[in-house]
Amino acid sequence: MKILKILSIISMPFLMAQQSTRFIYQVSMTPDSTNAEKKTELAYLDTDGKKSIFYAENSLKRDSVMERMRATKNFDRTQMQNLRSNINFSIDKDLNSQSLVYKSRIGRDQYSYNESPDFQWKILPETVKIGDYQTQKAETKFGGRTWYAWFTQEVPLQDGPYKFSGLPGLIVKAQDAKGDYSFDLMQTKKIAEIQQPQTRGQYINLSKNKYADMEKKFQKDPASFINAQRNSGGGPAGRGGGNRPGMDPKQMQEMQKRMEAEVKSRNNPIELK
């Protein structure tokens, strides 16, 4: 197993003081089952010990760019080109109840669902030192995958990347058995407060099953799905519709083809069921 250097240590007194902390994970993904190329980017787990939020680093960078563009009135969207992310969601956790709210966007609108994952962790005898932390291995089945996690009791926080939580210590590394997805703790740092990615409009809250059904429909025919949203008014979370200003029909068709190709390339989700 690749040993990653962790750049700083969070001590128990620090966490007990309930100061906000950012755990920075390297996320490696294979979102396209037809392409073995790994996609790698960073994600943040911000926590104050009572609650946490997991989101893509690029989300925070995009928010910063947008604020700068609004301040300067220079809306050059080419600045956003290198800030695209395969982590198109955020996860808010209540660490006391071990419940969470998953937030994402499907088509034009923003949706959320509530979940209290029942992780049936099996703690294994295997231990290994990862960076500066002594960790122990655990196993669970979740979302149609078998997952392995390495947690450390040196950081007494029952949390981890993505939806994972419930082990007697911070999850330093998590990886599914196929190696399609992995999360590796790279760095920790103090922050003034927990950050929340900016959103426009409200989230439409659904059941998890309803959300999954909508994702499947969008995956099957994204253009029809978006047209249906547009015709229904998009709900309270709509972010505009119709043709974009300055785009002729040919440009719209090309944009639609790019969107469909991108959606089809996301055929290996982190949760298979």
Side-chain angles (χ1 to χ4, degrees), residues 2 22 45 55 60 94 96 98 101 111 117 161 170 184 267:
K2 183 178 179 182
R22 174 168 294 157
L45 178 68
Y55 60 100
L60 203 60
D94 182 322
N96 291 324
Q98 294 291 298
V101 180
Y111 298 90
L170 179 72
D184 296 272
N267 53 64

Side-chain angles (χ1 to χ4, degrees), residues 15-240:
L15 282 173
M16 295 302 288
Q18 300 298 308
Q19 297 182 13
S20 295
T21 309
R22 174 168 294 157
F23 298 96
I24 303 174
Y25 289 85
Q26 177 177 281
V27 186
S28 297
M29 301 158 279
T30 310
D32 186 351
S33 62
T34 66
N35 185 348
E37 180 185 0
K38 290 281 187 183
K39 306 290 185 182
T40 303
E41 61 181 283
L42 297 180
Y44 294 163
L45 178 68
D46 290 357
T47 181
D48 61 5
K50 296 180 180 179
K51 60 183 180 297
S52 69
I53 178 169
F54 182 79
Y55 60 100
E57 179 187 62
N58 280 346
S59 295
L60 203 60
K61 289 183 176 180
R62 285 197 302 268
D63 290 346
S64 178
V65 170
M66 286 300 296
E67 286 182 2
R68 186 166 63 248
M69 288 195 296
R70 283 193 289 266
T72 61
K73 301 188 183 304
N74 177 23
F75 292 93
D76 178 12
R77 291 189 174 272
T78 60
Q79 300 176 56
M80 311 284 276
Q81 289 179 352
N82 296 325
L83 297 179
R84 303 190 71 178
S85 174
N86 286 286
I87 304 171
N88 57 358
F89 57 83
S90 65
I91 298 171
D92 293 4
K93 293 178 194 163
D94 182 322
L95 300 182
N96 291 324
S97 64
Q98 294 291 298
S99 61
L100 61 86
V101 180
Y102 180 97
K103 301 176 181 178
S104 189
R105 183 179 172 186
I106 305 176
R108 301 170 60 246
D109 296 338
Q110 299 172 127
Y111 298 90
S112 67
Y113 64 79
N114 299 71
E115 185 178 12
S116 297
D118 183 20
F119 293 111
Q120 297 293 321
W121 290 108
K122 179 181 178 182
I123 297 180
L124 305 174
E126 180 182 332
T127 61
V128 65
K129 192 169 186 180
I130 301 179
D132 293 312
Y133 293 118
Q134 189 66 36
T135 71
Q136 187 166 358
K137 190 176 182 180
E139 177 183 344
T140 193
K141 293 185 184 297
F142 180 71
R145 296 180 185 270
T146 297
W147 285 92
Y148 301 106
W150 288 261
F151 66 96
T152 179
Q153 296 189 54
E154 295 171 23
V155 182
L157 185 70
Q158 293 189 32
D159 202 0
Y162 190 57
K163 297 179 179 179
F164 299 116
S165 63
L167 284 166
L170 179 72
I171 296 173
V172 173
K173 178 181 177 70
Q175 179 177 309
D176 75 290
K178 293 182 178 180
D180 288 340
Y181 289 84
S182 66
F183 303 85
D184 296 272
L185 181 62
M186 302 296 290
Q187 184 180 0
T188 60
K189 61 192 295 186
K190 297 178 183 180
I191 56 175
E193 59 183 356
I194 293 177
Q195 297 293 310
Q196 184 77 244
Q198 295 179 9
T199 59
R200 292 175 60 187
Q202 297 177 342
Y203 283 92
I204 303 170
N205 189 259
L206 308 170
S207 68
K208 185 178 181 181
N209 288 339
K210 180 66 174 177
Y211 178 91
D213 289 342
M214 292 188 69
E215 266 200 326
K216 289 177 182 176
K217 291 178 182 177
F218 179 62
Q219 185 83 18
K220 183 177 181 179
D221 191 347
S224 296
F225 186 92
I226 289 176
N227 285 334
Q229 286 181 323
R230 183 182 299 131
N231 293 335
S232 67
R239 298 183 64 175

